[in-house]
């Protein structure tokens, strides 16, 4: 568990590369009442990482923050819940999370923005998550960015946001989706 206060200082962010490549098995940020941002590559390439609990104050997940981390186990997978307080998710934040099996965006106020850093033109936020099977998009998700679910070959079920306004190019490139029903997406351009 990441404490709210370290050496008398309130934790407001997790720095870029802070735990990259470490051997931690879980990340619990729930005690951090003022943790606003998770930095780039902060928890990247952790092959032992099984679970994440976000802070209710966090609103930004930096680019490649959990890139190539296990997120779950081969036997059980992992359901990632993106809380309503998270407003910005940068490119490749969860790319190649090997055991990530389900993603759910919680309902709430405001929208989720998939931001692209200056070095990339594609989101790839969940690209190459080889065991991702289901995605639930709440009405906070208005746009699905380019290559967001690229090569998620086991992705078969998507619960679509009724507030969806656009699906960008190659968003589901080589995904395993067998059917798409967007009839409830009245705002889709």
């Amino acid at each position: 568990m990441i404490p709210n206060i370290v050496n008398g200082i309130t934790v407001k962010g997790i720095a870029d590369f802070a735990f990259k490549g470490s051997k931690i098995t879980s990340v619990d940020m729930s005690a951090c009442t003022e943790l606003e941002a998770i930095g780039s590559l902060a928890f990247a390439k952790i092959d032992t990482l099984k679970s994440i609990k976000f802070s209710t104050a966090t609103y930004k997940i930096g680019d490649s923050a959990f890139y190539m981390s296990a997120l779950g186990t081969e036997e059980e997978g992992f359901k990632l819940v993106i809380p309503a307080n998270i407003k910005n998710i940068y490119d490749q934040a969860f790319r190649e999370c090997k055991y990530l099996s389900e993603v759910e965006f919680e309902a709430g106020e405001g929208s989720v923005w998939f931001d692209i850093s200056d070095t990339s033109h594609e989101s790839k936020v969940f690209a190459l998550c080889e065991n991702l099977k289901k995605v639930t998009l709440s009405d906070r998700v208005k746009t699905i960015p380019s290559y967001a679910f690229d090569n998620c070959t086991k992705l078969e079920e998507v619960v679509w946001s009724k507030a969806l306004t656009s699906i960008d190019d190659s968003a589901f490139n080589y995904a395993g989706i067998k059917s798409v029903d967007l009839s409830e997406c009245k705002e889709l351009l």
Side-chain angles (χ1 to χ4, degrees):
M1 176 179 284
I2 297 173
N4 190 43
I5 298 173
V6 175
N7 296 327
I9 300 170
T10 302
V11 176
K12 293 192 179 212
I14 297 175
D16 296 349
F17 307 97
F19 297 97
K20 181 182 175 190
S22 69
K23 295 295 178 193
I24 58 177
T25 57
S26 66
V27 176
D28 184 347
M29 299 172 268
S30 59
C32 300
T33 58
E34 295 184 43
L35 177 65
E36 297 172 349
I38 299 168
S40 299
L41 295 152
F43 297 100
K45 296 187 176 186
I46 303 174
D47 57 7
T48 54
L49 186 59
K50 294 178 184 166
S51 66
I52 308 166
K53 285 186 186 175
F54 291 104
S55 163
T56 56
T58 305
Y59 68 87
K60 175 192 160 198
I61 299 174
D63 62 277
S64 304
F66 294 91
Y67 170 68
M68 290 185 72
S69 286
L71 285 188
T73 64
E74 188 172 8
E75 298 80 28
E76 297 178 22
F78 179 71
K79 178 179 180 179
L80 175 66
V81 177
I82 308 286
N85 50 285
I86 294 180
K87 307 293 184 205
N88 299 83
I89 303 175
Y90 282 79
D91 52 304
Q92 304 187 57
F94 297 97
R95 181 180 174 178
E96 294 183 58
C97 289
K98 185 164 44 174
Y99 302 124
L100 180 61
S101 56
E102 185 174 350
V103 175
E104 177 184 337
F105 287 84
E106 281 188 337
E109 297 296 316
S111 298
V112 175
W113 295 100
F114 296 96
D115 293 313
I116 298 173
S117 68
D118 294 336
T119 59
S120 175
H121 300 291
E122 303 159 350
S123 169
K124 296 186 179 183
V125 68
F126 295 103
L128 295 158
C129 289
E130 61 189 59
N131 287 297
L132 184 60
K133 295 177 178 99
K134 180 178 180 182
V135 175
T136 302
L137 304 169
S138 72
D139 287 349
R140 292 184 332 111
V141 179
K142 311 269 191 250
T143 299
I144 301 172
S146 298
Y147 296 92
F149 298 97
D150 180 42
N151 274 291
C152 293
T153 57
K154 293 183 182 174
L155 179 59
E156 293 184 0
E157 183 179 358
V158 178
V159 178
W160 301 97
S161 163
K162 292 176 184 164
L164 198 60
T165 59
S166 67
I167 300 172
D168 290 350
D169 63 279
S170 302
F172 292 94
N173 193 40
Y174 295 104
I177 298 173
K178 292 183 177 42
S179 67
V180 177
D181 179 1
L182 299 169
S183 60
E184 296 292 318
C185 304
K186 305 297 184 203
E187 302 297 317
L188 193 59
L189 302 175

